[in-house]
Amino acid sequence: VQRQPLNKVARTAMKNLGASWAVIPHVTQHDVADITDLESARRRYLADSDASNPKITLTAIAVKAVTVVLKQFPHFNASLDTEKEELILKEFYHIGIAVDTERGLLVPVLHNADRQSVFELAAKLAEVAEKARTEKIGLNDMEGATFTISNQGGIGGTSFTPIVNFPQVAILGMSRAHTEVQIRDGRPEERLMLPLSLSYDHRAINGADAARFLVRLSAELSDCFRLLI
């Protein structure tokens, strides 16, 4: 056998994820969003834009959509005070984004994401992701998240069950989009479907609301015009 010491990132993850799993009763809700029109618009933008413009990614779009839905479901943007038996609703929207690096998984935070456009979020996301991968990210870049998104679509897989990042009460997982043949207006049509996995703290969120959250989020992602305005 060989013994391999864990690096600082892995040691921190071991402690935090272990505590989250031990404390939070996890449930994961799955759904799919039709992103056919959204992805078509995104690709048209990328084809027409030059290198000076931020690269619009599906993750940046998801951040914008999530902030819209969090305002409709405020108890998903919260933490739980078990001693006082109170739910702490947060009226700011700091979205953590899981980034895969050589050192392990880091989660930089996009602060006040609701106040930024998709273009601004894309630019900021590219900036913090690069800082994470080049070991230039600071603690202030990774603190204060109220909700987290983990996008594994670039790697693969059909769905997964992300662990809630305590003291948050919910986390969204995104898997690789795939085409499905659906019947629309009586005719078969190929649609691009994005798998979504929402893990949540069942003490703060019930299953019915989790299902409603994903239905609302799917609707936002399916309507690119609504998302842009």
Side-chain angles (χ1 to χ4, degrees):
V1 300
Q2 294 182 5
R3 286 182 173 269
Q4 185 179 52
L6 299 176
N7 63 27
K8 183 177 180 181
V9 173
R11 293 197 304 271
T12 302
M14 177 182 69
K15 294 175 183 176
N16 292 346
L17 293 175
S20 291
W21 189 256
V23 170
I24 296 174
H26 280 69
V27 181
T28 304
Q29 181 81 20
H30 301 282
D31 204 345
V32 290
D34 186 336
I35 61 166
T36 308
D37 298 335
L38 180 65
E39 182 63 8
S40 178
R42 189 184 76 87
R43 289 186 178 277
R44 286 197 304 270
Y45 166 79
L46 292 178
D48 294 339
S49 65
D50 56 44
S52 63
N53 293 324
K55 181 180 179 181
I56 303 298
T57 64
L58 192 55
T59 301
I61 295 170
V63 171
K64 188 64 178 178
V66 161
T67 60
V68 171
V69 180
L70 286 175
K71 290 187 176 183
Q72 300 172 24
F73 295 84
H75 56 298
F76 284 73
N77 195 63
S79 58
L80 190 64
D81 187 333
T82 54
E83 290 187 3
K84 294 184 178 180
E85 297 183 341
E86 293 176 344
L87 192 62
I88 303 170
L89 304 174
K90 299 174 181 179
E91 297 178 355
F92 50 92
Y93 301 86
H94 300 340
I95 309 300
I97 304 296
V99 176
D100 185 27
T101 76
E102 291 183 356
R103 292 182 294 158
L105 195 68
L106 297 176
V107 188
V109 179
L110 301 179
H111 295 92
N112 299 311
D114 61 314
R115 302 179 187 177
Q116 302 178 56
S117 69
V118 171
F119 303 98
E120 292 170 324
L121 289 169
K124 185 63 177 177
L125 180 57
E127 176 189 332
V128 296
E130 179 64 17
K131 288 170 69 175
R133 295 189 179 103
T134 56
E135 302 186 25
K136 296 179 180 178
I137 196 162
L139 284 177
N140 59 316
D141 294 314
M142 296 193 294
E143 292 180 335
T146 59
F147 187 94
T148 298
I149 297 175
S150 177
N151 186 355
Q152 297 185 0
I155 301 173
T158 56
S159 65
F160 64 108
T161 55
I163 296 178
V164 177
N165 188 11
F166 182 83
Q168 298 165 42
V169 295
I171 180 173
L172 178 71
M174 300 165 57
S175 299
R176 175 171 290 178
H178 60 274
T179 55
E180 290 182 2
V181 176
Q182 297 187 357
I183 303 300
R184 296 170 64 90
D185 299 325
R187 298 179 180 180
E189 184 178 326
E190 271 196 356
R191 307 296 294 180
L192 185 64
M193 309 302 291
L194 174 67
L196 302 172
S197 302
L198 178 75
S199 291
Y200 57 94
D201 186 335
H202 209 349
R203 299 171 302 174
I205 298 167
N206 61 45
D209 281 344
R212 294 186 187 101
F213 183 97
L214 278 188
V215 167
R216 185 66 255 168
L217 179 60
S218 296
E220 292 291 339
L221 291 171
S222 298
D223 189 344
C224 56
F225 179 73
R226 177 196 293 269
L227 199 57
L228 287 174
I229 62 173

